């Protein structure tokens, strides 16, 4: 895992929620340990090795595996899977690309304002509109979609905190804050020493 990676964050949240005990190995992205690369040569986090020896190295797959084991509050909403898939596809696709450009415009030779406008159009405004209608993305209860998107919206809000605090997206800010101040998120953000093989 890597503490600040949004993919690893959402996987840790799902595992914690499902009550699955895991040993966390915090890695340095600059010096990835051989044991991690042996499990998953693609070299990205999170990587989960099961007791069976099987390896899951995609965050969404880890989340779904955890929820298939135990889903006490029904994060998986069977009759809304198409909507969930759509929200995650936009988040993990176009929004993640825009988020990287927004954080590091100098690396991408783009205008931060242009990127911000596009991020608002494709993700921030539509998600805020959903949250104008109910407490969470799909209704009054938290779902897989909320947890899958939350770490990325969190990262977006931290690029320019003053802009975000003063933005008109009140419902989105309320939604974000309830995760930031909640027990689940804070329980998976402990600091661990960097793993050495």
């Amino acid at each position: 895992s890597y503490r600040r990676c949004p993919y690893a964050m959402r996987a840790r949240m799902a595992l914690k929620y499902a009550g699955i005990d895991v040993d966390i190995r915090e890695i340095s992205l600059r010096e990835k340990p051989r044991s991690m690369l042996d499990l998953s040569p693609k070299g990205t986090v999170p990587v989960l090795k099961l007791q069976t020896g099987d390896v899951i190295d995609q965050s969404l797959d880890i989340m779904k595996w955890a929820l298939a084991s135990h889903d006490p509050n029904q994060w998986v909403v069977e009759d809304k899977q198409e909507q969930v898939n759509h929200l995650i596809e936009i988040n993990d696709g176009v929004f993640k690309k825009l988020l990287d450009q927004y954080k590091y415009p100098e690396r991408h030779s783009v205008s931060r304002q242009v990127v911000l406008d596009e991020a608002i159009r494709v993700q921030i405004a539509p998600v805020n509109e959903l949250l104008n209608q109910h407490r969470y993305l799909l209704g009054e209860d938290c779902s897989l979609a909320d947890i899958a998107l939350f770490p990325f919206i969190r990262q977006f809000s931290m690029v320019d905190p003053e802009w975000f605090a003063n933005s008109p997206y009140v419902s989105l800010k309320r939604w974000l804050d309830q995760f930031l101040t909640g027990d689940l998120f804070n329980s998976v953000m402990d600091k661990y020493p960097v793993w050495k093989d």
Side-chain angles (χ1 to χ4, degrees), residues 96-144:
K96 177 60 169 73
K97 182 178 179 182
L98 289 166
L99 176 57
D100 290 341
Q101 294 173 341
Y102 185 45
K103 289 191 303 184
Y104 309 111
E106 65 284 351
R107 292 185 190 173
H108 300 276
S109 301
V110 293
S111 159
R112 177 172 275 172
Q113 187 60 52
V114 168
V115 172
L116 175 60
D117 292 344
E118 185 66 4
I120 290 170
R121 186 186 71 79
V122 302
Q123 180 80 321
I124 302 305
V127 167
N128 187 73
E129 180 56 35
L130 283 175
L131 296 168
N132 284 339
Q133 300 168 42
H134 26 68
R135 185 177 178 196
Y136 293 98
L137 293 174
L138 304 183
E140 296 309 310
D141 299 309
C142 185
S143 73
L144 171 65

Side-chain angles (χ1 to χ4, degrees), residues 132-180:
N132 284 339
Q133 300 168 42
H134 26 68
R135 185 177 178 196
Y136 293 98
L137 293 174
L138 304 183
E140 296 309 310
D141 299 309
C142 185
S143 73
L144 171 65
D146 294 280
I147 303 302
L149 270 62
F150 154 70
F152 298 87
I153 302 285
R154 171 187 175 268
Q155 202 170 71
F156 174 86
S157 75
M158 295 168 66
V159 176
D160 187 344
E162 184 177 354
W163 176 88
F164 190 78
N166 293 313
S167 74
Y169 306 106
V170 175
S171 296
L172 179 67
K173 288 185 279 189
R174 171 198 48 78
W175 172 85
L176 182 65
D177 189 61
Q178 68 188 356
F179 286 116
L180 291 174

Side-chain angles (χ1 to χ4, degrees), residues 80-93 95 122-123 126-127 130 137-138 143 145-146 148-149:
K80 295 188 177 179
Q81 283 309 295
E82 191 172 322
Q83 184 181 4
V84 170
N85 292 340
H86 178 69
L87 287 167
I88 295 174
E89 183 179 325
I90 290 172
N91 183 80
D92 291 13
F95 181 65
V122 302
Q123 180 80 321
V127 167
L130 283 175
L137 293 174
L138 304 183
S143 73
D146 294 280
L149 270 62

